[in-house]
Amino acid sequence: MSAHQQTAASPFIRACRNEPVQHTPVWFMRQAGRSLPEYLKLREGVPMLESCMRPELITEITLQPVRRHGVDAAVYFSDIVVPLKAIGLDVEIKPGVGPVVADPIRNRQDLARLRDLDPSDVGYVTEAVGLLTAELGSTPLIGFAGAPFTLASYLVEGGPSRNHERTKALMYGDPELWRDLLDRLADITTAFLKVQIEAGASAVQVFDSWVGALSPADYRRYVMPASAKVFDAVAGYGVPRIHFGVGTGELLGLMSEAGADVMGVDWRVPLDEAARRVGPGKALQGNLDPAVLFAPTAAVEAKTREVLDAAAAAGTGHIFNLGHGVLPTTDPDALSRLVDFVHSSTEAV
Ligand SMILES: Cc1c2[nH]c(c1CCC(=O)O)Cc1[nH]c(c(CCC(=O)O)c1C)Cc1[nH]c(c(CCC(=O)O)c1C)Cc1[nH]c(c(C)c1CCC(=O)O)C2
């Protein structure tokens, strides 16, 4: 049986397809490699991007939160900049900072450095996904990649940015170069997703984490064609495609239109309202504020109940998640309790 067939009846895949489930499935963005002491121990002395190239390490880190919290899906341990590193760009992840690009992409000549990603550039991904799906059995593995806009922001800025000023300067100042840059990135992202799906990932998530910096009109004009290209290119596999960004309440309809099967929602928009913006037929993922996990258990449960009630009112398939990634200092036990609470609160009778 293929990995895709093995996971087809899981609550996560069923919820992605708007099918009835025995309990609401749960996973957490950034569940792999964050607060877990067993993760920090494994990573000692290994730079982040190097750890993303070692299949045994990837496998172990990906499995840790599944074992500890009993989440309904694993998320492949990697980073959105791994494919950029794999095509030869000088990028590293600085602890506590994020991705840093030594030589930013700012003109037409720079674009030539963005060559296509060949599956052989990331043989370690194929190997790790194979090891993982063998271990995971009926638990789905989620593959992921960065969306063209979010990758472009790191490449143009040279690192993390609050206002994305250089990115926007390029986008508005040289729309043709911008379009070509996003188109190149769409192909790289597509190739990276295909490697994961072909090796056995049961679903994929495309992170456009920072696209909430744009207005709907600019999103439609400058970003949507490249994101749609990615979603179209992997549609034929039939695996659920999840799309997520932070602060994207005003963009939910357009991001959904770009081609997702499941829309990820941050904590600023209740899920029943999100369902209205996203339109019919799509499942929703989210959306407990990750900072809520620092409150006492009773408060976490009350806020979680609000999310579950809004999801029920939305009437769509629902994958419970946080509204953004697990914060680094989150108590792992609070995450385990949350998984149990969502499962017991939603068990079908
Ligand atoms: C924007 C973005 C990045 N990376 C990612 C995104 C999109 C998700 C989001 O919006 O949070 C995605 C990502 N990065 C990582 C994963 C692994 C799987 C998971 O647990 O979700 C995933 C899905 C590992 C990581 N990626 C990173 C770490 C920490 C690196 C370390 O331990 O030194 C891990 C485990 C580093 C990273 N990588 C990135 C940042 C901003 C940072 C630094 C700040 C931070 O820690 O959040 C870029």
Side-chain angles (χ1 to χ4, degrees):
M1 218 201 271
S2 75
H4 299 156
Q5 288 166 329
Q6 267 190 311
T7 59
S10 65
F12 170 81
I13 294 293
R14 289 182 60 84
C16 288
R17 301 197 192 290
N18 288 313
E19 295 166 1
V21 286
Q22 71 221 39
H23 61 248
T24 296
V26 188
W27 71 283
F28 302 119
M29 293 185 279
R30 313 300 303 275
Q31 68 188 16
R34 260 282 152 98
S35 55
L36 298 187
E38 57 268 37
Y39 164 74
L40 297 173
K41 192 144 178 259
L42 273 183
R43 274 287 316 285
E44 260 169 36
V46 189
M48 173 62 191
L49 288 180
E50 206 181 304
S51 69
C52 297
M53 296 176 191
R54 297 197 193 168
E56 282 83 17
L57 203 55
I58 296 167
T59 303
E60 181 57 25
I61 294 172
T62 302
L63 292 173
Q64 283 175 344
V66 181
R67 291 193 200 110
R68 190 192 256 258
H69 306 306
V71 283
D72 295 88
V75 59
Y76 180 75
F77 178 77
S78 184
D79 193 80
I80 59 168
V81 297
V82 163
L84 303 178
K85 177 97 176 168
I87 60 166
L89 292 188
D90 186 347
V91 47
E92 60 172 319
I93 291 186
K94 294 222 162 114
V97 177
V100 175
V101 180
D103 210 352
I105 304 268
R106 292 188 184 148
N107 57 42
R108 179 89 24 209
Q109 293 86 281
D110 293 336
L111 208 56
R113 291 192 272 131
L114 289 181
R115 68 160 173 86
D116 279 334
L117 179 80
D118 188 87
S120 66
D121 296 321
V122 287
Y124 47 86
V125 175
T126 303
E127 193 184 333
V129 172
L131 292 171
L132 275 164
T133 51
E135 289 272 336
L136 284 164
S138 61
T139 302
L141 175 68
I142 304 168
F144 73 91
F149 175 85
T150 291
L151 292 178
S153 170
Y154 285 112
L155 288 176
V156 176
E157 304 290 341
S161 167
R162 180 184 292 266
N163 299 312
H164 309 279
E165 48 271 74
R166 284 176 182 275
T167 310
K168 289 183 179 180
L170 178 69
M171 186 172 91
Y172 298 125
D174 192 343
E176 267 184 33
L177 175 59
W178 172 260
R179 187 198 56 209
D180 293 348
L181 170 61
L182 259 67
D183 192 66
R184 295 265 61 232
L185 291 170
D187 291 346
I188 292 165
T189 283
T190 298
F192 193 57
L193 292 175
K194 282 186 172 178
V195 166
Q196 296 173 73
I197 298 169
E198 287 180 9
S202 291
V204 285
Q205 175 153 326
V206 177
F207 283 96
D208 212 349
S209 301
W210 313 136
V211 80
L214 298 185
S215 70
D218 286 347
Y219 178 83
R220 184 191 282 282
R221 186 185 211 173
Y222 295 109
V223 174
M224 201 170 152
S227 292
K229 189 182 190 194
V230 173
F231 285 106
D232 286 350
V234 297
Y237 291 103
V239 303
R241 299 160 299 166
I242 312 170
H243 200 178
F244 170 79
V246 184
T248 49
E250 299 300 327
L251 303 178
L252 284 175
L254 291 172
M255 288 175 73
S256 163
E257 215 183 293
D261 305 299
V262 181
M263 273 310 298
V265 183
D266 83 0
W267 63 93
R268 294 173 180 88
V269 181
L271 291 177
D272 47 347
E273 172 57 22
R276 282 186 280 277
R277 298 184 186 187
V278 162
K282 310 236 170 171
L284 296 175
Q285 175 174 284
N287 68 345
L288 185 74
D289 181 347
V292 165
L293 284 161
F294 291 77
T297 303
V300 176
E301 292 183 354
K303 294 300 283 179
T304 301
R305 176 118 8 241
E306 283 176 21
V307 171
L308 295 173
D309 288 348
T316 66
H318 178 218
I319 299 101
F320 187 92
N321 205 315
L322 304 179
H324 195 191
V326 174
L327 295 166
T329 54
T330 306
D331 173 7
D333 292 339
L335 290 170
S336 298
R337 281 195 300 270
L338 178 55
V339 174
D340 291 343
F341 182 75
V342 172
H343 284 169
S344 61
S345 306
T346 56
E347 222 129 61
V349 279

